[in-house]
Amino acid sequence: MNVRRARTAPGQSARDRVNGLLTKEGTATADRAETGVNDPLASDAPAKAALGEIAPPPRRSMQSLRRRALSLVCLVALWWVLSLFFSESVLPGPVDVSDALWRNVQDGATYFHLYKTVLRVVAGMAIAVLASLMIGLIMGLSRFGEQFLDSWVMVAFTVPSVVYGILAILWFGLNDFAAIIAIGVTATPAVAINIWQGVKAIDTSLVHMGEAFHFSRASILRKIVIPQLVPYILAALRYALGTAWKIATVVELIGLSSGVGYQLHYWFGLFNMTQVLAWTIAFTVVLLLIEYVVLKPIEVYLTRWRPSVQG
């Protein structure tokens, strides 16, 4: 105990002072172990948790799953009730649509059409996100870039997607490349606006701190700007996914001979609402798989530092 009461002499070296502090900490830890008293203020658990060494408390995944299942059950129940008031040609019930969907699943051609649409959607979405990231960064980081590109983005945003589809088919023909270009060009303006607003919302004090430490512009962009843009980029990915699927359907409906849009147009021509809903549900399930199997785990990993909503 004499070691704990020892004081550091004024002329003592820095190494001796550090050794004295370490000795005091070790003695205090031993005393707590002997007395069975655990000082919560001395625990390094918060620091370890901040560094990711301690796993965060388990999220209420089961409760969230139950809520989602309840929401889905309510939606199907509402669909069934509404179908009782309409004929099958207007709104078929869940049972009839499920039977048609099951028959489609057993048909090998279904997977070909789903594959073609998914390929076009993913390729077009990749073009849209890359182009939007560059445009949004330029508009957010440069006043000249914002003033120069603002009108371009707004004009491109107001043009209907069907126009881009028609132009792409007229320019490039009835092929996958035309559909991919139409999807990428149509989704780019909306995603660029999202990233642009995200750049404008970043903490500029961190940028100024990076400049004070003589960071290069590339380092500021990579270490300060991009990490703050992650939530906006993830939101842009979700928006691009939904937009790309809508545009792909329109382009396939206009002039292509494969894909979900083509099948919707085919069954619409036969006035078969059951198959129209079956194909819509089939690709909706594919989009949900992409969301929860690909995008959601990426979001959880990249934003693991953010607190989760409780309750």
Coordinates of all heavy atoms in Angstrom, one line a residue, residues 26-121:
G26 N -1.9 -1.1 -11.3 CA -1.9 -2.5 -11.0 C -2.2 -2.8 -9.5 O -2.9 -3.7 -9.2
T27 N -1.8 -1.9 -8.6 CA -2.1 -2.1 -7.2 C -3.6 -1.9 -6.9 O -4.2 -2.7 -6.2 CB -1.3 -1.1 -6.3 OG1 0.1 -1.2 -6.6 CG2 -1.5 -1.4 -4.8
A28 N -4.2 -0.9 -7.6 CA -5.6 -0.7 -7.4 C -6.4 -1.9 -7.9 O -7.4 -2.3 -7.3 CB -6.0 0.6 -8.2
T29 N -6.0 -2.4 -9.1 CA -6.7 -3.6 -9.6 C -6.6 -4.8 -8.7 O -7.6 -5.5 -8.4 CB -6.1 -4.0 -11.0 OG1 -6.2 -2.9 -11.8 CG2 -6.8 -5.1 -11.6
A30 N -5.4 -5.0 -8.0 CA -5.3 -6.1 -7.1 C -6.1 -5.9 -5.9 O -6.7 -6.8 -5.3 CB -3.8 -6.2 -6.7
D31 N -6.2 -4.6 -5.4 CA -7.0 -4.3 -4.2 C -8.5 -4.6 -4.5 O -9.2 -5.2 -3.7 CB -6.9 -2.9 -3.8 CG -5.5 -2.6 -3.2 OD1 -4.8 -3.6 -2.8 OD2 -5.1 -1.4 -3.1
R32 N -9.0 -4.3 -5.7 CA -10.4 -4.5 -6.1 C -10.6 -6.0 -6.2 O -11.7 -6.5 -5.8 CB -10.7 -3.9 -7.4 CG -10.8 -2.3 -7.3 CD -11.5 -1.8 -8.5 NE -10.8 -2.1 -9.8 CZ -9.9 -1.3 -10.3 NH1 -9.6 -0.1 -9.7 NH2 -9.3 -1.6 -11.4
A33 N -9.6 -6.8 -6.7 CA -9.8 -8.2 -6.8 C -9.9 -8.8 -5.4 O -10.6 -9.8 -5.1 CB -8.7 -8.8 -7.6
E34 N -9.1 -8.3 -4.4 CA -9.1 -8.9 -3.1 C -10.4 -8.6 -2.3 O -10.9 -9.4 -1.6 CB -7.9 -8.3 -2.3 CG -6.5 -8.8 -2.8 CD -5.4 -8.1 -2.1 OE1 -5.7 -7.3 -1.2 OE2 -4.2 -8.4 -2.4
T35 N -10.9 -7.4 -2.5 CA -12.1 -7.0 -1.8 C -13.4 -7.4 -2.5 O -14.4 -7.3 -1.9 CB -12.1 -5.4 -1.6 OG1 -12.0 -4.8 -2.9 CG2 -10.9 -5.0 -0.7
G36 N -13.2 -7.8 -3.7 CA -14.4 -8.2 -4.5 C -15.2 -7.1 -5.0 O -16.4 -7.3 -5.4
V37 N -14.7 -5.9 -5.0 CA -15.4 -4.7 -5.4 C -15.0 -4.4 -6.8 O -13.8 -4.3 -7.1 CB -15.0 -3.5 -4.5 CG1 -15.7 -2.2 -5.0 CG2 -15.5 -3.8 -3.1
N38 N -15.9 -4.2 -7.7 CA -15.7 -3.9 -9.1 C -16.1 -2.5 -9.4 O -17.3 -2.1 -9.2 CB -16.4 -4.9 -10.0 CG -16.1 -4.6 -11.5 OD1 -15.1 -4.0 -11.8 ND2 -16.9 -5.2 -12.4
D39 N -15.2 -1.6 -9.7 CA -15.5 -0.2 -10.0 C -15.9 -0.1 -11.4 O -15.1 -0.3 -12.4 CB -14.2 0.6 -9.8 CG -14.5 2.1 -9.9 OD1 -15.7 2.5 -10.1 OD2 -13.5 2.9 -9.9
P40 N -17.2 0.2 -11.7 CA -17.6 0.3 -13.1 C -17.0 1.4 -13.8 O -16.8 1.4 -15.0 CB -19.2 0.6 -12.9 CG -19.3 1.2 -11.6 CD -18.3 0.6 -10.7
L41 N -16.5 2.5 -13.2 CA -15.8 3.6 -13.9 C -14.5 3.1 -14.4 O -13.9 3.7 -15.3 CB -15.7 4.8 -12.9 CG -17.0 5.4 -12.4 CD1 -16.7 6.6 -11.5 CD2 -17.8 5.9 -13.6
A42 N -13.9 2.1 -13.7 CA -12.6 1.7 -14.2 C -12.6 0.6 -15.2 O -11.6 0.2 -15.8 CB -11.8 1.1 -13.0
S43 N -13.8 0.2 -15.6 CA -13.9 -0.9 -16.6 C -13.7 -0.3 -18.0 O -14.0 0.8 -18.3 CB -15.4 -1.5 -16.5 OG -15.5 -2.4 -17.6
D44 N -13.0 -1.1 -18.8 CA -12.7 -0.7 -20.1 C -13.7 -1.2 -21.1 O -13.5 -1.2 -22.3 CB -11.3 -1.1 -20.5 CG -11.1 -2.6 -20.5 OD1 -12.0 -3.3 -19.9 OD2 -10.1 -3.1 -21.0
A45 N -14.9 -1.7 -20.7 CA -15.9 -2.2 -21.6 C -16.4 -1.2 -22.5 O -16.6 -1.5 -23.7 CB -17.1 -2.8 -20.7
P46 N -16.7 0.1 -22.1 CA -17.1 1.1 -23.1 C -16.1 1.3 -24.2 O -16.5 1.4 -25.4 CB -17.4 2.3 -22.3 CG -17.6 1.8 -20.9 CD -16.7 0.6 -20.7
A47 N -14.8 1.3 -23.8 CA -13.8 1.5 -24.9 C -13.8 0.3 -25.8 O -13.6 0.5 -27.0 CB -12.5 1.7 -24.2
K48 N -13.9 -0.9 -25.3 CA -13.8 -2.0 -26.1 C -15.1 -2.1 -27.0 O -15.0 -2.5 -28.2 CB -13.8 -3.3 -25.3 CG -12.4 -3.5 -24.6 CD -12.4 -4.8 -23.9 CE -11.0 -5.1 -23.2 NZ -11.0 -6.3 -22.5
A49 N -16.2 -1.7 -26.5 CA -17.4 -1.7 -27.3 C -17.3 -0.7 -28.4 O -17.7 -0.9 -29.5 CB -18.6 -1.3 -26.4
A50 N -16.7 0.5 -28.1 CA -16.5 1.5 -29.2 C -15.6 1.0 -30.2 O -15.7 1.3 -31.4 CB -15.9 2.8 -28.6
L51 N -14.6 0.2 -29.9 CA -13.6 -0.4 -30.8 C -14.2 -1.6 -31.5 O -13.5 -2.2 -32.4 CB -12.3 -0.7 -30.2 CG -11.6 0.5 -29.6 CD1 -10.3 0.0 -28.8 CD2 -11.1 1.5 -30.7
G52 N -15.4 -2.1 -31.2 CA -15.9 -3.2 -31.8 C -15.4 -4.6 -31.2 O -15.7 -5.6 -31.8
E53 N -14.7 -4.5 -30.1 CA -14.2 -5.8 -29.5 C -15.3 -6.5 -28.7 O -15.3 -7.7 -28.5 CB -13.1 -5.5 -28.5 CG -11.9 -4.9 -29.2 CD -10.7 -4.5 -28.3 OE1 -10.8 -4.9 -27.1 OE2 -9.8 -3.9 -28.7
I54 N -16.3 -5.8 -28.3 CA -17.5 -6.4 -27.6 C -18.7 -6.3 -28.5 O -19.0 -5.3 -29.1 CB -17.8 -5.6 -26.3 CG1 -16.6 -5.8 -25.3 CG2 -19.1 -6.2 -25.7 CD1 -16.8 -5.1 -24.0
A55 N -19.3 -7.4 -28.7 CA -20.5 -7.5 -29.6 C -21.6 -6.6 -29.1 O -21.8 -6.5 -27.9 CB -20.9 -8.9 -29.8
P56 N -22.2 -5.9 -30.0 CA -23.4 -5.0 -29.6 C -24.5 -5.9 -29.1 O -24.6 -7.1 -29.4 CB -23.7 -4.3 -30.9 CG -23.3 -5.2 -32.0 CD -22.0 -5.8 -31.5
P57 N -25.4 -5.3 -28.3 CA -26.5 -6.1 -27.8 C -27.3 -6.6 -28.9 O -27.5 -6.0 -30.0 CB -27.3 -5.1 -26.9 CG -26.9 -3.7 -27.4 CD -25.4 -3.9 -27.8
P58 N -27.9 -7.8 -28.8 CA -28.6 -8.4 -29.9 C -29.8 -7.6 -30.3 O -30.6 -7.1 -29.4 CB -29.1 -9.8 -29.4 CG -29.0 -9.6 -27.9 CD -27.9 -8.7 -27.6
R59 N -30.0 -7.4 -31.5 CA -31.2 -6.6 -32.0 C -32.4 -7.5 -32.0 O -32.3 -8.7 -32.0 CB -30.9 -6.1 -33.4 CG -29.7 -5.2 -33.5 CD -29.6 -4.6 -34.9 NE -28.4 -3.7 -34.9 CZ -28.0 -3.0 -36.0 NH1 -28.8 -3.0 -37.0 NH2 -27.0 -2.2 -35.9
R60 N -33.5 -6.8 -31.9 CA -34.8 -7.6 -31.7 C -35.2 -8.1 -33.1 O -36.2 -7.7 -33.7 CB -35.8 -6.7 -31.1 CG -35.3 -6.1 -29.8 CD -36.4 -5.2 -29.2 NE -35.9 -4.6 -27.9 CZ -36.6 -3.8 -27.1 NH1 -37.9 -3.5 -27.5 NH2 -36.2 -3.3 -26.0
S61 N -34.4 -9.1 -33.6 CA -34.7 -9.6 -34.9 C -36.0 -10.4 -35.0 O -36.7 -10.3 -35.9 CB -33.5 -10.5 -35.4 OG -33.3 -11.5 -34.5
M62 N -36.3 -11.2 -33.9 CA -37.5 -12.0 -33.9 C -38.7 -11.1 -33.9 O -39.7 -11.3 -34.5 CB -37.5 -12.9 -32.7 CG -36.4 -14.0 -32.8 SD -36.6 -15.0 -34.4 CE -38.2 -15.7 -34.1
Q63 N -38.6 -10.0 -33.1 CA -39.8 -9.1 -33.0 C -40.0 -8.4 -34.3 O -41.1 -8.2 -34.8 CB -39.5 -8.1 -31.9 CG -40.7 -7.2 -31.6 CD -40.5 -6.2 -30.5 OE1 -39.4 -6.2 -29.9 NE2 -41.5 -5.4 -30.2
S64 N -38.9 -8.0 -34.9 CA -39.0 -7.4 -36.2 C -39.6 -8.3 -37.3 O -40.4 -7.9 -38.1 CB -37.6 -6.9 -36.7 OG -37.6 -6.4 -38.0
L65 N -39.1 -9.6 -37.2 CA -39.6 -10.6 -38.2 C -41.1 -10.8 -38.0 O -41.9 -10.9 -38.9 CB -38.9 -11.9 -38.0 CG -39.2 -13.0 -38.9 CD1 -38.9 -12.6 -40.4 CD2 -38.4 -14.3 -38.6
R66 N -41.6 -10.9 -36.7 CA -43.0 -11.0 -36.4 C -43.8 -9.9 -37.0 O -44.9 -10.1 -37.5 CB -43.2 -11.2 -34.9 CG -42.8 -12.6 -34.4 CD -43.3 -12.9 -33.0 NE -42.8 -11.9 -32.1 CZ -41.8 -12.1 -31.3 NH1 -41.1 -13.2 -31.4 NH2 -41.4 -11.2 -30.4
R67 N -43.3 -8.7 -36.8 CA -44.0 -7.5 -37.3 C -44.1 -7.5 -38.8 O -45.2 -7.2 -39.4 CB -43.3 -6.2 -36.8 CG -43.4 -6.0 -35.3 CD -42.6 -4.8 -34.9 NE -42.8 -4.6 -33.4 CZ -42.1 -3.6 -32.8 NH1 -41.2 -2.9 -33.4 NH2 -42.2 -3.5 -31.5
R68 N -43.0 -7.9 -39.5 CA -43.1 -8.0 -40.9 C -44.1 -9.0 -41.4 O -44.8 -8.9 -42.4 CB -41.7 -8.2 -41.5 CG -40.7 -7.1 -41.2 CD -39.3 -7.4 -41.7 NE -38.3 -6.4 -41.3 CZ -38.1 -5.3 -41.9 NH1 -38.8 -5.0 -43.0 NH2 -37.2 -4.4 -41.5
A69 N -44.0 -10.2 -40.7 CA -45.0 -11.2 -41.1 C -46.4 -10.8 -40.8 O -47.3 -11.1 -41.7 CB -44.7 -12.5 -40.3
L70 N -46.7 -10.1 -39.7 CA -48.0 -9.6 -39.5 C -48.5 -8.6 -40.6 O -49.6 -8.7 -41.0 CB -48.1 -9.0 -38.1 CG -49.4 -8.3 -37.7 CD1 -50.5 -9.4 -37.6 CD2 -49.3 -7.6 -36.3
S71 N -47.5 -7.8 -41.0 CA -47.9 -6.8 -42.0 C -48.2 -7.5 -43.3 O -49.2 -7.2 -44.0 CB -46.7 -5.9 -42.3 OG -46.9 -5.0 -43.3
L72 N -47.5 -8.6 -43.7 CA -47.7 -9.3 -44.9 C -49.1 -10.0 -44.8 O -49.9 -10.1 -45.8 CB -46.6 -10.3 -45.1 CG -46.7 -11.2 -46.4 CD1 -46.7 -10.3 -47.6 CD2 -45.5 -12.2 -46.5
V73 N -49.4 -10.6 -43.7 CA -50.6 -11.3 -43.5 C -51.8 -10.3 -43.6 O -52.8 -10.7 -44.3 CB -50.7 -12.0 -42.1 CG1 -52.1 -12.5 -41.8 CG2 -49.7 -13.2 -42.1
C74 N -51.7 -9.2 -43.1 CA -52.7 -8.2 -43.2 C -52.9 -7.7 -44.6 O -54.1 -7.5 -45.1 CB -52.4 -6.9 -42.3 SG -52.5 -7.3 -40.5
L75 N -51.8 -7.6 -45.4 CA -51.9 -7.2 -46.8 C -52.7 -8.3 -47.6 O -53.5 -8.0 -48.4 CB -50.5 -7.0 -47.3 CG -50.5 -6.6 -48.8 CD1 -51.2 -5.3 -49.1 CD2 -49.0 -6.5 -49.3
V76 N -52.3 -9.6 -47.4 CA -53.0 -10.7 -48.1 C -54.4 -10.7 -47.7 O -55.3 -11.0 -48.5 CB -52.2 -12.0 -47.8 CG1 -53.0 -13.1 -48.4 CG2 -50.8 -11.9 -48.4
A77 N -54.7 -10.5 -46.4 CA -56.1 -10.6 -46.0 C -56.9 -9.4 -46.6 O -58.1 -9.6 -47.1 CB -56.2 -10.5 -44.4
L78 N -56.4 -8.2 -46.7 CA -57.0 -7.1 -47.4 C -57.3 -7.4 -48.8 O -58.3 -7.1 -49.4 CB -56.2 -5.9 -47.2 CG -56.8 -4.6 -47.9 CD1 -58.1 -4.2 -47.3 CD2 -55.8 -3.4 -47.7
W79 N -56.3 -8.0 -49.5 CA -56.4 -8.4 -50.9 C -57.5 -9.4 -51.1 O -58.3 -9.3 -52.0 CB -55.0 -9.0 -51.3 CG -55.0 -9.5 -52.7 CD1 -55.9 -9.4 -53.7 CD2 -54.0 -10.4 -53.3 NE1 -55.6 -10.0 -54.9 CE2 -54.4 -10.6 -54.6 CE3 -52.8 -10.9 -52.8 CZ2 -53.6 -11.4 -55.5 CZ3 -52.0 -11.6 -53.6 CH2 -52.4 -11.9 -55.0
W80 N -57.6 -10.4 -50.2 CA -58.6 -11.4 -50.3 C -60.0 -10.8 -50.1 O -61.0 -11.1 -50.8 CB -58.4 -12.5 -49.2 CG -59.5 -13.5 -49.2 CD1 -59.7 -14.6 -50.1 CD2 -60.5 -13.7 -48.2 NE1 -60.8 -15.3 -49.7 CE2 -61.3 -14.7 -48.6 CE3 -60.8 -12.9 -47.0 CZ2 -62.4 -15.1 -47.8 CZ3 -61.9 -13.3 -46.3 CH2 -62.7 -14.4 -46.7
V81 N -60.2 -9.9 -49.1 CA -61.5 -9.3 -48.9 C -61.9 -8.4 -50.1 O -63.0 -8.5 -50.6 CB -61.4 -8.4 -47.6 CG1 -62.7 -7.5 -47.5 CG2 -61.2 -9.2 -46.4
L82 N -61.0 -7.7 -50.7 CA -61.3 -6.9 -51.9 C -61.7 -7.8 -53.1 O -62.5 -7.4 -53.9 CB -60.1 -6.0 -52.2 CG -59.8 -4.8 -51.2 CD1 -58.6 -4.1 -51.7 CD2 -61.0 -3.9 -51.1
S83 N -61.0 -8.9 -53.2 CA -61.3 -9.8 -54.3 C -62.7 -10.3 -54.3 O -63.2 -10.8 -55.3 CB -60.3 -10.9 -54.4 OG -60.4 -11.8 -53.3
L84 N -63.3 -10.4 -53.1 CA -64.7 -10.9 -53.0 C -65.7 -9.9 -53.7 O -66.8 -10.4 -54.0 CB -65.1 -11.0 -51.5 CG -64.2 -12.0 -50.7 CD1 -64.7 -12.0 -49.3 CD2 -64.3 -13.4 -51.3
F85 N -65.3 -8.7 -53.9 CA -66.2 -7.7 -54.5 C -66.0 -7.5 -56.0 O -66.7 -6.7 -56.6 CB -66.1 -6.4 -53.7 CG -66.4 -6.4 -52.3 CD1 -65.4 -6.6 -51.3 CD2 -67.7 -6.3 -51.8 CE1 -65.7 -6.7 -50.0 CE2 -68.1 -6.4 -50.5 CZ -67.1 -6.6 -49.5
F86 N -65.0 -8.2 -56.5 CA -64.7 -8.0 -57.9 C -64.6 -9.3 -58.6 O -64.4 -10.4 -58.0 CB -63.4 -7.2 -58.1 CG -63.4 -5.8 -57.5 CD1 -62.9 -5.6 -56.2 CD2 -63.9 -4.8 -58.2 CE1 -62.9 -4.3 -55.7 CE2 -63.9 -3.5 -57.7 CZ -63.4 -3.3 -56.4
S87 N -64.8 -9.3 -59.9 CA -64.7 -10.5 -60.7 C -63.2 -10.9 -60.9 O -62.3 -10.1 -60.6 CB -65.3 -10.4 -62.1 OG -64.6 -9.4 -62.8
E88 N -63.0 -12.1 -61.3 CA -61.6 -12.6 -61.5 C -60.8 -11.8 -62.6 O -59.6 -11.7 -62.5 CB -61.6 -14.1 -61.8 CG -60.2 -14.7 -61.9 CD -60.3 -16.2 -62.2 OE1 -61.4 -16.8 -62.2 OE2 -59.2 -16.8 -62.5
S89 N -61.5 -11.3 -63.5 CA -60.9 -10.5 -64.6 C -60.4 -9.2 -64.1 O -59.6 -8.5 -64.8 CB -61.8 -10.4 -65.8 OG -63.0 -9.7 -65.4
V90 N -61.0 -8.7 -63.0 CA -60.6 -7.4 -62.4 C -59.6 -7.6 -61.3 O -58.5 -7.0 -61.3 CB -61.8 -6.6 -61.9 CG1 -61.4 -5.3 -61.3 CG2 -62.8 -6.4 -63.1
L91 N -59.9 -8.4 -60.3 CA -59.0 -8.6 -59.2 C -59.1 -10.0 -58.7 O -60.0 -10.3 -57.9 CB -59.3 -7.6 -58.0 CG -58.4 -7.7 -56.8 CD1 -57.0 -7.4 -57.2 CD2 -58.9 -6.8 -55.7
P92 N -58.3 -10.9 -59.2 CA -58.4 -12.3 -58.7 C -57.9 -12.4 -57.3 O -57.1 -11.6 -56.8 CB -57.4 -13.1 -59.7 CG -56.5 -12.0 -60.2 CD -57.3 -10.7 -60.3
G93 N -58.3 -13.5 -56.6 CA -57.9 -13.7 -55.2 C -56.5 -14.2 -55.1 O -55.9 -14.7 -56.0
P94 N -56.0 -14.2 -53.8 CA -54.6 -14.7 -53.6 C -54.5 -16.2 -54.0 O -53.4 -16.6 -54.4 CB -54.5 -14.5 -52.1 CG -55.5 -13.5 -51.7 CD -56.6 -13.6 -52.6
V95 N -55.5 -17.0 -53.8 CA -55.4 -18.4 -54.1 C -55.2 -18.6 -55.6 O -54.3 -19.4 -56.0 CB -56.6 -19.2 -53.6 CG1 -56.6 -20.7 -54.0 CG2 -56.8 -19.1 -52.1
D96 N -56.0 -18.0 -56.4 CA -55.8 -18.1 -57.9 C -54.5 -17.6 -58.4 O -53.8 -18.3 -59.2 CB -57.0 -17.4 -58.6 CG -58.3 -17.9 -58.3 OD1 -58.4 -19.1 -58.0 OD2 -59.3 -17.1 -58.3
V97 N -54.0 -16.5 -57.8 CA -52.7 -16.0 -58.2 C -51.6 -16.9 -57.8 O -50.6 -17.1 -58.5 CB -52.5 -14.5 -57.7 CG1 -51.1 -14.0 -58.0 CG2 -53.6 -13.6 -58.3
S98 N -51.7 -17.5 -56.6 CA -50.7 -18.4 -56.1 C -50.6 -19.6 -57.0 O -49.5 -20.1 -57.2 CB -51.0 -18.8 -54.6 OG -51.0 -17.7 -53.8
D99 N -51.8 -20.1 -57.4 CA -51.8 -21.3 -58.3 C -51.1 -21.0 -59.6 O -50.3 -21.8 -60.1 CB -53.2 -21.7 -58.6 CG -53.9 -22.4 -57.4 OD1 -53.1 -22.8 -56.5 OD2 -55.1 -22.4 -57.3
A100 N -51.3 -19.8 -60.2 CA -50.7 -19.4 -61.4 C -49.2 -19.2 -61.2 O -48.4 -19.6 -62.0 CB -51.3 -18.1 -62.0
L101 N -48.8 -18.6 -60.1 CA -47.4 -18.4 -59.7 C -46.7 -19.8 -59.6 O -45.5 -19.9 -60.1 CB -47.3 -17.6 -58.5 CG -45.9 -17.3 -58.0 CD1 -45.1 -16.5 -59.0 CD2 -45.9 -16.5 -56.7
W102 N -47.3 -20.7 -59.0 CA -46.7 -22.0 -58.8 C -46.5 -22.7 -60.2 O -45.5 -23.4 -60.4 CB -47.6 -22.9 -57.9 CG -47.0 -24.3 -57.7 CD1 -47.6 -25.5 -58.1 CD2 -45.8 -24.7 -57.1 NE1 -46.9 -26.5 -57.8 CE2 -45.7 -26.1 -57.1 CE3 -44.8 -24.0 -56.4 CZ2 -44.7 -26.8 -56.6 CZ3 -43.7 -24.7 -55.9 CH2 -43.7 -26.1 -56.0
R103 N -47.5 -22.6 -61.1 CA -47.3 -23.2 -62.4 C -46.2 -22.5 -63.1 O -45.4 -23.2 -63.9 CB -48.6 -23.0 -63.2 CG -49.8 -23.9 -62.7 CD -50.9 -24.0 -63.7 NE -51.4 -22.6 -64.0 CZ -52.4 -22.1 -63.4 NH1 -53.0 -22.7 -62.4 NH2 -52.8 -20.9 -63.8
N104 N -46.0 -21.2 -63.0 CA -44.9 -20.5 -63.6 C -43.6 -20.9 -63.0 O -42.6 -21.0 -63.8 CB -45.1 -19.0 -63.4 CG -46.3 -18.4 -64.2 OD1 -46.8 -19.1 -65.1 ND2 -46.7 -17.2 -63.8
V105 N -43.5 -21.2 -61.7 CA -42.2 -21.6 -61.1 C -41.8 -22.9 -61.7 O -40.6 -23.2 -61.8 CB -42.4 -21.7 -59.6 CG1 -41.2 -22.4 -58.9 CG2 -42.6 -20.3 -59.0
Q106 N -42.8 -23.8 -62.0 CA -42.4 -25.1 -62.6 C -42.0 -25.1 -64.0 O -41.6 -26.1 -64.6 CB -43.6 -26.1 -62.4 CG -44.0 -26.4 -60.9 CD -45.2 -27.2 -60.8 OE1 -46.2 -27.0 -61.5 NE2 -45.2 -28.1 -59.8
D107 N -42.2 -23.9 -64.7 CA -41.9 -23.7 -66.1 C -40.5 -23.1 -66.2 O -40.2 -22.1 -65.6 CB -42.9 -22.8 -66.8 CG -42.7 -22.7 -68.3 OD1 -41.8 -23.4 -68.8 OD2 -43.4 -21.9 -68.9
G108 N -39.6 -23.8 -67.0 CA -38.2 -23.3 -67.1 C -38.1 -22.0 -67.8 O -37.1 -21.2 -67.5
A109 N -39.0 -21.6 -68.6 CA -39.0 -20.3 -69.3 C -39.1 -19.1 -68.3 O -38.6 -18.0 -68.6 CB -40.1 -20.2 -70.4
T110 N -39.7 -19.4 -67.2 CA -39.9 -18.3 -66.2 C -38.5 -17.8 -65.7 O -38.3 -16.6 -65.6 CB -40.7 -18.8 -65.0 OG1 -42.0 -19.2 -65.5 CG2 -40.9 -17.7 -64.0
Y111 N -37.6 -18.7 -65.5 CA -36.3 -18.3 -65.0 C -35.5 -17.6 -66.0 O -34.7 -16.7 -65.7 CB -35.5 -19.5 -64.5 CG -36.3 -20.3 -63.4 CD1 -37.1 -21.4 -63.7 CD2 -36.2 -19.8 -62.1 CE1 -37.8 -22.1 -62.7 CE2 -36.9 -20.5 -61.1 CZ -37.7 -21.6 -61.4 OH -38.4 -22.3 -60.4
F112 N -35.7 -17.9 -67.3 CA -35.0 -17.2 -68.4 C -35.5 -15.7 -68.4 O -34.7 -14.8 -68.5 CB -35.3 -17.8 -69.7 CG -34.8 -17.0 -70.9 CD1 -33.5 -16.9 -71.2 CD2 -35.8 -16.3 -71.7 CE1 -33.1 -16.1 -72.3 CE2 -35.4 -15.6 -72.7 CZ -34.0 -15.5 -73.1
H113 N -36.8 -15.5 -68.3 CA -37.3 -14.1 -68.4 C -36.9 -13.3 -67.1 O -36.6 -12.1 -67.2 CB -38.8 -14.1 -68.5 CG -39.3 -14.6 -69.8 ND1 -39.1 -13.9 -71.0 CD2 -39.9 -15.8 -70.2 CE1 -39.7 -14.6 -72.0 NE2 -40.1 -15.7 -71.5
L114 N -36.9 -14.0 -65.9 CA -36.4 -13.3 -64.7 C -35.0 -13.0 -64.8 O -34.6 -11.9 -64.4 CB -36.7 -14.2 -63.5 CG -38.1 -14.4 -63.1 CD1 -38.2 -15.4 -62.0 CD2 -38.7 -13.1 -62.6
Y115 N -34.2 -13.9 -65.4 CA -32.7 -13.6 -65.5 C -32.5 -12.4 -66.4 O -31.6 -11.6 -66.1 CB -32.1 -14.9 -66.1 CG -30.7 -14.6 -66.7 CD1 -29.6 -14.3 -65.9 CD2 -30.6 -14.6 -68.1 CE1 -28.4 -14.1 -66.5 CE2 -29.3 -14.3 -68.7 CZ -28.2 -14.1 -67.9 OH -27.0 -13.8 -68.4
K116 N -33.2 -12.3 -67.5 CA -33.0 -11.2 -68.5 C -33.3 -9.9 -67.8 O -32.6 -8.9 -68.0 CB -33.8 -11.4 -69.7 CG -33.5 -12.7 -70.5 CD -32.1 -12.6 -71.1 CE -32.0 -11.6 -72.2 NZ -30.7 -11.6 -72.9
T117 N -34.4 -9.8 -67.1 CA -34.8 -8.6 -66.4 C -33.8 -8.2 -65.3 O -33.4 -7.1 -65.2 CB -36.2 -8.7 -65.8 OG1 -37.1 -9.0 -66.9 CG2 -36.6 -7.4 -65.2
V118 N -33.4 -9.2 -64.5 CA -32.4 -8.9 -63.4 C -31.1 -8.4 -64.0 O -30.5 -7.5 -63.5 CB -32.2 -10.2 -62.6 CG1 -31.1 -10.0 -61.6 CG2 -33.5 -10.5 -61.8
L119 N -30.7 -9.0 -65.1 CA -29.4 -8.6 -65.7 C -29.5 -7.2 -66.2 O -28.6 -6.4 -65.9 CB -29.1 -9.5 -66.9 CG -27.9 -9.1 -67.8 CD1 -26.6 -9.3 -67.0 CD2 -27.9 -10.0 -69.1
R120 N -30.6 -6.8 -66.8 CA -30.8 -5.4 -67.3 C -30.9 -4.4 -66.1 O -30.3 -3.3 -66.2 CB -32.0 -5.3 -68.2 CG -31.9 -6.1 -69.5 CD -33.3 -6.4 -70.1 NE -33.1 -7.2 -71.3 CZ -34.1 -8.0 -71.8 NH1 -35.3 -7.9 -71.2 NH2 -34.0 -8.7 -72.9
V121 N -31.6 -4.9 -65.1 CA -31.7 -4.0 -63.9 C -30.4 -3.7 -63.2 O -30.0 -2.6 -62.9 CB -32.8 -4.6 -62.9 CG1 -32.7 -3.9 -61.6 CG2 -34.2 -4.5 -63.5

